[in-house]
Amino acid sequence: MTPLLLLLFVALAVTAVQIVRLDDLFSAAMLTGVFSLLSAGLFVLMDAVDVAFTEAAVGAGMTTILMLGALSVTSTRERQGKLQWRPFVVVLGVGAALVYATFDMPGFGDPAAPIHHHVGPEYLAGAEEHHIPNAVTMVLASYRGYDTLGETVVVFAAVVGVLLLLGERSLLMRLRRRATATAETNASRARDIA
Amino acid sequence: MPITKDQRDEWRTEDNLHAGGPKMSEGAEPLPMRGKLVLRGAVRLVVPFVFLFGLYVQFHGDYGPGGGFQAGVIFATGFILFGLIFGSQLSESVFPERWAERLLALGVLLYAAVGVFSLVAPGAQTFNFLDYNALGKNGQHYGIVLVELGVGLAVAAAMVRLYYAFADLSELSAPVEAAIDDATPLANAASRNKDSRSAE
């Protein structure tokens, strides 16, 4: 493990703990952006540039903005409550189980890992055959075209769902805006006529 | 030379502080970040490059890291950054809400249409859904570019539309119905004027 990787991991852990500890939700939302940026750095160090790109754009950019948008309609202070022991224990248990599961995984970059021997070589050969340098795009768009179509549909469905939840107020807002716009044009038209 | 207070106020009231957008009409709500010259200048400088980078990531996805999803998000952040500084209404005048909704559906449809085309294309040998070899000799390239374009459109539109939804929510402090009521008599008066004019 290189020192830089270790440093990023430590920073990631510190950020995560800080997010949990902070009462100020605004700072917590900004720290989730920092968290994503640190993970993006980790992904770059592990040669997963496409994942890093997505993490930086979505995690550090979009999600933070949507968090801030959500904060602007609610309180920016976390309500103080007692520590809930049962959920805390469940979270700790699940976390420990996940860490335990990683002991069973092949080493990072291990050439003998199963993932390098199933369909991987075929995908790489295909990318070479069709002269597509970025094998990740080839796999996502071509070999896994169904999955990516499904993901796009999920994005579509998610937005439709959010709009159905927020839609009524949003519609009112739009009506108000249209009314103001017509009022303005009408006023200027009235001035012209006068 | 330090700027005097009068000079600064003069600057702030100047319309070129938000150049490139429609003029503020009287009585309209003030734009956010109105006095923040550095922010406004920096955003105006950065946004075109954000879009350029988005296009690069979009169409260079099969040669370098990136692709439709990342490009869509980058493109959307350009609009959102602009909206955060200059007001979401101004960014909506560039990229209206309704377009976002249509582009969202169009992106998904474009992706699915490529699949259906490869299913029925005359040159196809396999007649498989999303088999880009049916698109010709360099079919894999065309297919990937088209499909990524669909993803990019859908994601960009989705993110922008979500941002508008939240921006709407946070702007809801002004009573909605009152504005509609305020607007209606004016509209009626104007239409009456128009009628009397056409009668002349």
Side-chain angles (χ1 to χ4, degrees), chain B residues 48-67:
Chain B
F49 292 103
V50 172
F51 288 149
L52 195 65
F53 186 55
L55 286 176
Y56 169 77
V57 172
Q58 172 77 58
F59 292 109
H60 208 254
D62 43 350
Y63 288 95

Side-chain angles (χ1 to χ4, degrees), chain B residues 13-189:
Chain B
T13 48
E14 260 179 52
D15 274 320
N16 65 1
L17 265 184
H18 53 94
K23 265 187 155 184
M24 291 276 295
S25 56
E26 273 179 39
E29 284 167 49
L31 294 169
M33 316 272 177
R34 209 167 155 69
K36 306 273 194 293
L37 252 187
V38 176
L39 269 183
R40 300 172 79 88
V43 165
R44 228 183 300 159
L45 206 68
V46 158
V47 162
F49 292 103
V50 172
F51 288 149
L52 195 65
F53 186 55
L55 286 176
Y56 169 77
V57 172
Q58 172 77 58
F59 292 109
H60 208 254
D62 43 350
Y63 288 95
F69 195 83
Q70 292 93 329
V73 177
I74 290 172
F75 223 80
T77 41
F79 278 106
I80 292 169
L81 184 63
F82 185 79
L84 284 176
I85 302 300
F86 293 94
S88 70
Q89 305 203 7
L90 204 54
S91 76
E92 270 186 61
S93 68
V94 181
F95 188 29
E97 219 170 56
R98 228 175 306 169
W99 281 24
E101 281 161 17
R102 275 166 209 182
L103 280 182
L104 174 61
L106 187 78
V108 180
L109 283 179
L110 177 62
Y111 199 137
V114 173
V116 173
F117 180 80
S118 63
L119 201 60
V120 297
Q125 272 131 39
T126 49
F127 300 105
N128 280 328
F129 189 68
L130 285 173
D131 180 359
Y132 309 137
N133 286 327
L135 293 166
K137 189 164 150 279
N138 288 324
Q140 288 292 337
H141 278 276
Y142 297 140
I144 288 179
V145 166
L146 282 173
V147 156
E148 294 280 357
L149 187 63
V151 175
L153 283 177
V155 170
M159 298 305 164
V160 171
R161 186 63 189 85
L162 281 186
Y163 164 67
Y164 287 162
F166 277 107
D168 282 354
L169 279 188
S170 42
E171 280 172 21
L172 260 181
S173 51
V176 177
E177 290 83 359
I180 297 177
D181 290 346
D182 284 351
T184 322
L186 261 176
N188 292 341

Side-chain angles (χ1 to χ4, degrees), chain A residues 49-50 53-54 57-58 61-62 65-66 69-70 72-73 130-134 137-138 140-142 144-146 148-149 152-153 155-156 159-160 162-163 166 169-170 172-180 183-184 186-187 189-190 193, chain B residues 25 29 53 57 61-66 69-70 73-74 77 80 89 92 97-98 101 104-105 108 111-112 129-130 132-133 140-141 144 148 151 154 158-159 161-162 165-166 168-172 174 176 179-180 183 186-187 190 193:
Chain A
V49 261
D50 283 83
F53 210 151
T54 318
V58 179
M62 269 318 294
I65 288 175
L66 289 182
S72 70
V73 289
H130 293 286
H131 305 292
I132 293 171
N134 187 0
T137 304
M138 178 79 180
L140 284 182
S142 191
R144 289 274 174 260
Y146 277 49
T148 311
L149 176 60
T152 317
V153 174
V155 170
F156 176 79
V159 174
V160 170
V162 170
L163 290 186
L166 301 178
R169 307 180 76 186
S170 181
L172 279 175
M173 197 64 208
R174 197 192 290 181
L175 276 177
R176 188 188 108 174
R177 223 171 267 167
R178 200 178 296 163
T180 340
E184 270 168 31
N186 282 333
R189 214 179 285 158
I193 294 168
Chain B
S25 56
E29 284 167 49
F53 186 55
V57 172
D62 43 350
Y63 288 95
F69 195 83
Q70 292 93 329
V73 177
I74 290 172
T77 41
I80 292 169
Q89 305 203 7
E92 270 186 61
E97 219 170 56
R98 228 175 306 169
E101 281 161 17
L104 174 61
V108 180
Y111 199 137
F129 189 68
L130 285 173
Y132 309 137
N133 286 327
Q140 288 292 337
H141 278 276
I144 288 179
E148 294 280 357
V151 175
M159 298 305 164
R161 186 63 189 85
L162 281 186
F166 277 107
D168 282 354
L169 279 188
S170 42
E171 280 172 21
L172 260 181
V176 177
I180 297 177
L186 261 176
N193 274 338

Side-chain angles (χ1 to χ4, degrees), chain A residues 49-142:
Chain A
V49 261
D50 283 83
V51 186
F53 210 151
T54 318
E55 184 64 44
V58 179
M62 269 318 294
T63 318
T64 313
I65 288 175
L66 289 182
M67 285 272 201
L68 293 181
L71 275 185
S72 70
V73 289
T74 175
S75 154
T76 53
R77 283 257 151 215
E78 191 178 353
R79 199 170 9 162
Q80 289 299 311
K82 264 193 315 191
L83 179 61
Q84 305 255 334
W85 280 105
R86 242 175 293 173
F88 186 61
V89 168
V90 170
V91 167
L92 273 189
V94 172
L98 285 174
V99 170
Y100 178 70
T102 60
F103 296 151
D104 216 20
M105 281 170 72
F108 176 65
D110 182 6
I115 194 155
H116 299 307
H117 292 280
H118 186 44
V119 283
E122 198 185 313
Y123 288 166
L124 289 178
E128 197 144 291
E129 184 195 332
H130 293 286
H131 305 292
I132 293 171
N134 187 0
V136 176
T137 304
M138 178 79 180
V139 172
L140 284 182
S142 191

